[in-house]
Amino acid sequence: MIDNLISVAIFAILILSLVQKGHKDTFAAIVFASGIWAHDLLFSHLNSVYYFLSAGALDALVIVFILRSNSKLSNPLSIICLISIIINFVGLAFWWNFYEPTIYNSLILCLYFLSIYILLGGQNGIIRAYGKLSIFCRFTDKNVLSRSPILGEK
């Protein structure tokens, strides 16, 4: 069940990477999505240390290419890749201790949903709310705070 949701999330990330606005954001999103898709395609049949290490290595490679694009999506997508590296090392520890992969798969699925949210609402993404939509600075934006009846300016 969760493997099917992961496949659907990867497909959604691939589609959303193609509809980003701006060449730099499109490049960063395509590199990010193709890294996820390539790892799923090439290494999903493995159930060993090679799967987790290849995922971490591919995420590190994606970070290098995304940061070189210097787009507005490069920082959030790089943070997603860093979190993915950590989750893959946790998955490796689970695999070594013979735990079920359910927790690892759930964490990866949540990370993919966060990626979908970033690609939908990125700074130059499809959905625009509050003017600036960087997921990390949205709530500190003066325009957002000024609209609040509690925190707004008089």
Side-chain angles (χ1 to χ4, degrees):
M1 174 70 179
I2 201 162
D3 293 333
N4 294 335
L5 287 174
I6 289 174
S7 297
V8 169
I10 290 172
F11 182 71
I13 290 170
L14 281 170
I15 297 298
L16 288 174
S17 68
L18 297 175
V19 295
Q20 296 298 311
K21 294 182 181 176
H23 298 295
K24 291 180 180 180
D25 288 341
T26 303
F27 175 76
I30 287 175
V31 167
F32 176 75
S34 62
I36 293 171
W37 179 71
H39 186 266
D40 187 56
L41 184 69
L42 298 175
F43 299 104
S44 64
H45 65 282
L46 297 177
N47 191 12
S48 64
V49 68
Y50 301 114
Y51 175 83
F52 298 107
L53 292 180
S54 63
L58 197 58
D59 283 335
L61 188 64
V62 167
I63 288 172
V64 169
F65 282 110
I66 287 176
L67 288 179
R68 291 184 60 98
S69 72
N70 200 17
S71 73
K72 294 175 182 173
L73 287 175
S74 61
N75 286 339
L77 293 180
S78 297
I79 291 171
I80 292 291
C81 288
L82 285 174
I83 295 170
S84 176
I85 291 171
I86 293 168
I87 290 174
N88 281 300
F89 281 119
V90 168
L92 180 61
F94 284 174
W95 180 78
W96 269 331
N97 291 315
F98 302 104
Y99 290 125
E100 289 292 321
T102 308
I103 296 172
Y104 168 78
N105 289 340
S106 300
L107 290 172
I108 287 294
L109 185 63
C110 289
L111 194 65
Y112 288 167
F113 285 151
L114 182 61
S115 302
I116 290 170
Y117 175 76
I118 288 172
L119 291 175
L120 278 174
Q123 199 115 19
N124 279 337
I126 299 166
I127 298 173
R128 293 179 187 247
Y130 299 126
K132 288 186 177 180
L133 244 188
S134 176
I135 194 170
F136 301 106
C137 65
R138 180 171 91 190
F139 297 108
T140 60
D141 186 15
K142 290 181 181 178
N143 294 330
V144 174
L145 294 177
S146 66
R147 293 183 202 149
S148 170
I150 297 170
L151 300 173
E153 299 172 9
K154 295 180 180 179

